[in-house]
Structures are given as structure tokens and as C-alpha cells.
């Protein structure tokens, strides 16, 4: 049996979810509107680029129980097929351990993704990407060691600022499942 306080919290949670869901669709609608506007893209069709990156790798689920988050490295190749669509291939590496060092986790991956240029303001490009990737996981917990190759779903968004024709600066947020 639920108390009055519990049902009030449930209703409040449902209202928050509805508002968050509406905000999500509003953002998607604006991004779609901006993506469909005619414009000349700074990322010209046929353009190739390479990227080196460093960033925080936050583990979730079972991995978060046994390992700490750490800094990861990645290299990325991008090909702009058109003003709106492109291909990006990312190579990623990260190494994790626990506080005592008895557990270790190594993640190496390759992710070919489709890139969608959502909006462009001057030399600033906002884009999203999605695809599937292969990840090799090496895990050691105490004296038990194992490795596996797994297929992952990738989704993310990024912002790049072109400082010149050959140099860009940006940030991205990606989720690999």
C-alpha cells in the first residue's frame, strides 16, 4: 500500500518525465528545422579530416562496480559525403583499474558511424552521429582473467569550430552500449 507521500512523489516524477520528454522533442524539432535549411556547409563534400582526442571515459553498469573511470584516447577519420551527411570512423582506447590495482579493464574499439550535420553558424558545426562498433574488452578481476569482442551501439553529438581550413577544435559526448 502506498502512502500519500509516495503517490505525490510518483506524480511529481511523472510530471518531470513528461516535461523532459517534451523538451527532448522540442530540441529535436529545432535541430531538424536547422538541418533542413538551405546553406553552404563549411565541411565541403569530398573533404577528409583526421582527429586526435583525449577525454573522460565513464563506465556504467557492471563495469562501474569493479573499475574506476579514467582518461581515454581516440583517433578519428571523417569523410564529408555531402553538406548534411558524412562518415566518421573512430579508434578508441582506455585502461581502467580499481583503487587497489587488483582489477583491470582494457577497452579497444573501432566504430564506423554516420554523421549528420545538424546546424552551422559561421564556422561552428553542430552534428550528431550514430552507428555500430566492435570493442575488444580485456578484463581481470583478482586472479580471473578474460577477454571478449562485442558489438556496441553508438550515439552522440558534437560541436566543431573551424579555426582554419586545416585545424578544428571541438567537443563531443558519445554513448557506447
Amino acid at each position: 500500500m502506498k502512502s500519500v507521500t509516495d503517490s505525490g512523489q510518483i506524480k511529481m516524477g511523472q510530471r518531470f518525465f513528461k516535461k523532459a520528454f517534451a523538451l527532448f522533442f522540442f530540441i529535436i524539432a529545432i535541430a531538424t528545422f536547422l538541418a533542413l535549411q538551405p546553406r553552404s556547409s563549411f565541411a565541403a563534400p569530398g573533404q577528409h579530416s583526421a582527429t586526435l582526442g583525449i577525454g573522460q571515459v565513464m563506465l556504467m553498469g557492471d563495469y562501474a562496480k569493479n573499475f574506476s573511470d579514467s582518461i581515454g584516447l581516440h583517433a578519428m577519420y571523417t569523410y564529408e559525403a555531402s553538406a548534411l551527411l558524412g562518415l566518421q570512423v573512430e579508434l578508441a582506447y582506455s585502461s581502467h583499474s580499481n583503487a587497489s590495482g587488483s582489477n583491470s579493464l582494457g577497452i579497444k574499439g573501432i566504430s564506423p558511424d554516420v554523421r549528420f550535420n545538424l546546424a552551422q553558424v559561421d564556422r561552428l558545426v553542430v552534428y550528431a552521429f550514430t552507428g555500430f562498433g566492435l570493442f575488444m574488452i580485456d578484463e581481470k578481476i583478482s586472479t580471473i582473467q578474460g577477454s571478449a569482442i562485442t558489438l556496441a551501439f553508438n550515439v552522440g553529438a558534437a560541436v566543431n569550430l573551424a579555426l582554419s581550413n586545416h585545424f578544428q577544435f571541438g567537443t563531443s559526448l558519445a554513448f557506447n552500449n
Side-chain angles (χ1 to χ4, degrees):
M1 181 173 206
K2 294 188 190 261
S3 69
V4 175
T5 307
D6 288 343
S7 65
Q9 289 175 344
I10 290 171
K11 286 181 183 177
M12 223 168 68
Q14 289 172 344
R15 277 185 261 143
F16 173 78
F17 179 76
K18 286 180 182 178
K19 288 179 183 177
F21 196 67
L23 180 62
F24 173 76
F25 275 108
F26 176 74
I27 291 171
I28 293 298
I30 294 296
T32 302
F33 174 76
L34 291 173
L36 296 176
Q37 294 299 309
R39 67 190 190 285
S40 62
S41 175
F42 182 72
Q47 183 177 357
H48 301 266
S49 63
T51 305
L52 296 175
I54 184 169
Q56 183 72 20
V57 177
M58 296 181 287
L59 300 173
M60 300 170 74
D62 292 336
Y63 290 130
K65 295 176 189 174
N66 296 318
F67 308 103
S68 301
D69 297 340
S70 74
I71 299 294
L73 303 172
H74 76 172
M76 187 168 35
Y77 164 78
T78 303
Y79 172 73
E80 295 294 336
S82 71
L84 295 176
L85 294 173
L87 168 72
Q88 74 179 29
V89 178
E90 181 178 6
L91 298 172
Y93 172 77
S94 66
S95 179
H96 307 266
S97 65
N98 63 346
S100 66
S102 61
N103 299 343
S104 65
L105 175 71
I107 302 173
K108 299 172 201 146
I110 182 167
S111 302
D113 297 322
V114 176
R115 174 179 162 155
F116 304 95
N117 294 331
L118 300 175
Q120 176 185 351
V121 178
D122 194 25
R123 297 185 130 210
L124 182 75
V125 177
V126 178
Y127 66 92
F129 54 91
T130 188
F132 291 93
L134 289 174
F135 288 84
M136 182 169 185
I137 311 294
D138 294 316
E139 183 176 19
K140 180 184 166 222
I141 298 178
S142 210
T143 59
I144 302 170
Q145 189 168 355
S147 64
I149 295 178
T150 185
L151 182 68
F153 173 70
N154 311 314
V155 65
V159 176
N160 278 346
L161 175 62
L163 300 175
S164 73
N165 287 339
H166 302 290
F167 188 74
Q168 296 181 8
F169 177 78
T171 186
S172 69
L173 178 65
F175 176 76
N176 302 313
N177 185 14

